[in-house]
Amino acid sequence: METALFAFQASDLFGRGIVFALVGLSSLFYGFLIHKFFYLNECKKRDDTILNRMAQFTTEAHQILGELERDRQTTGPLVCLAKVAANTLQNLLHPTPQERYALFSDGTLPRPLSPQEIESIQVAMDNEASRQTAALEEDLHNIATIITLAPLLGLLGTVWGVMATFVGIVMNGGRPDIQAIAPGIAGALLTTVAGLLLAIPGVLFNNCLQKSVQDRETIMEDFTAAITSSLQTAKTAKAATTPTPQDDGNAQA
C-alpha cells in the first residue's frame, strides 16, 4: 500500500487522472457485476422452480402450461416461454370454455396438432427465448468494455509517464540520475498495475456470468423441446370420446 501511495504521489497530473479514471471504471464494473449476478441468480431460482413442477408431469410436460395459467405470481424466463406457448396454442385451437378448461386442467387438447402448428408454437417460443436471452445479456457488453478498456488505459498512463521521464532526462542535459527518474518510472507503472488489478478479476467474473447466461439459454431450449414434444403426443378430447372395438362389443352384448 505504501508503494502504491508513493508511486501515486510521484505521478504527474495525467497519470493521476488515469488512476482516478480506473477507480471510476472499477465502481461501474462492480455495480454492473453485482446487479447482473443477483439478476441471473434470481432467474435460476425461478426456472428451477418451474422445472421441479414440470417434473411432476412425467408424460404430459405441457400440463405445466395449465399450472402457470392458474399461477399468475410466478415469473421468470421459463414462465414467459410458457405464456407464449399457451397463447399460441389457444390462437391455433380456438377452444370453447369447456375445451379451454380441459386444456389447462389436465392437458387434454380439443384435437391433434398438425406438424405446422407444432412448428408455429416452437417458433413463437424460440422468438421469446431470443428476447429473454437479450435481457439476460444486458450489461454484459458494458462489463466486457470495461475489462478491455482498463489495461489499455493503464498502458497509456505508463507510456505517458515513461515518455515524460525521458523528456525530463533530455531537458536535464541528458544525464540520467536514478534518484531523479525512479519516482517517475514508479508513477508511470502504477497505472498499468491499476488497470491489471481491474482487468484480471474482471475476466474471471465475466466468464462466470457468460457461463450462467449460456446455462439459461440451454434450459430454455430444453424447455421448448419438452413442451413441443409433449404436445405432439398429447391426449385429445376426440380420442377420449371415441369408442374402442371392445366397447362396441360390450354395447352389442
Side-chain angles (χ1 to χ4, degrees), residues 2-249:
E2 293 180 358
T3 302
L5 181 60
F6 173 80
F8 179 78
Q9 293 173 344
S11 301
D12 58 8
L13 291 178
F14 187 82
R16 294 181 181 182
I18 294 291
V19 172
F20 283 125
L22 289 171
V23 171
L25 286 176
S26 179
S27 300
L28 286 176
F29 170 78
Y30 285 104
F32 287 134
L33 181 68
I34 293 172
H35 173 265
K36 183 56 62 174
F37 172 79
F38 281 107
Y39 175 73
L40 291 174
N41 189 55
E42 187 64 24
C43 288
K44 182 181 183 304
K45 289 181 180 179
R46 294 173 179 176
D47 287 350
D48 288 345
T49 300
I50 300 302
L51 294 176
N52 290 334
R53 292 169 64 178
M54 191 171 69
Q56 300 174 3
F57 311 112
T58 55
T59 58
E60 302 285 346
H62 69 279
Q63 284 187 249
I64 192 64
L65 302 181
E67 287 280 326
L68 298 177
E69 182 72 13
R70 294 186 291 272
D71 181 7
R72 301 300 181 89
Q73 296 181 347
T74 305
T75 59
L78 294 188
V79 175
C80 294
L81 264 66
K83 290 181 178 179
V84 167
N87 291 334
T88 306
L89 190 59
Q90 293 184 83
N91 291 335
L92 292 172
L93 295 174
H94 303 289
T96 64
Q98 293 80 7
E99 292 172 339
R100 185 179 184 279
Y101 175 79
L103 173 62
F104 290 122
S105 61
D106 60 1
T108 301
L109 301 179
R111 60 172 176 80
L113 294 170
S114 67
Q116 292 77 13
E117 290 173 329
I118 295 292
E119 184 178 359
S120 298
I121 296 173
Q122 182 173 353
V123 169
M125 295 182 72
D126 288 341
N127 290 338
E128 180 61 26
S130 297
R131 287 189 286 269
Q132 293 300 318
T133 298
L136 293 171
E137 292 177 344
E138 187 178 4
D139 290 335
L140 288 185
H141 66 283
N142 292 329
I143 293 175
T145 299
I146 293 174
I147 294 173
T148 303
L149 188 60
L152 294 178
L153 279 176
L155 180 61
L156 174 62
T158 296
V159 171
W160 176 271
V162 172
M163 181 179 65
T165 299
F166 280 110
V167 169
I169 293 175
V170 172
M171 295 181 63
N172 195 35
R175 296 184 299 275
D177 184 357
I178 190 63
Q179 296 293 333
I181 66 175
I185 297 297
L189 294 175
L190 175 64
T191 58
T192 295
V193 173
L196 292 176
L197 286 177
L198 174 57
I200 292 174
V203 170
L204 298 177
F205 289 133
N206 187 55
N207 288 341
C208 292
L209 293 178
Q210 294 284 357
K211 178 63 168 56
S212 181
V213 170
Q214 291 175 1
D215 290 343
R216 296 300 96 212
E217 293 176 356
T218 301
I219 291 297
M220 288 190 288
E221 291 175 0
D222 293 343
F223 182 80
T224 299
I227 294 297
T228 54
S229 297
S230 179
L231 289 172
Q232 290 176 354
T233 59
K235 58 185 177 181
T236 62
K238 291 182 179 180
T241 58
T242 300
T244 62
Q246 183 179 0
D247 293 334
D248 291 343

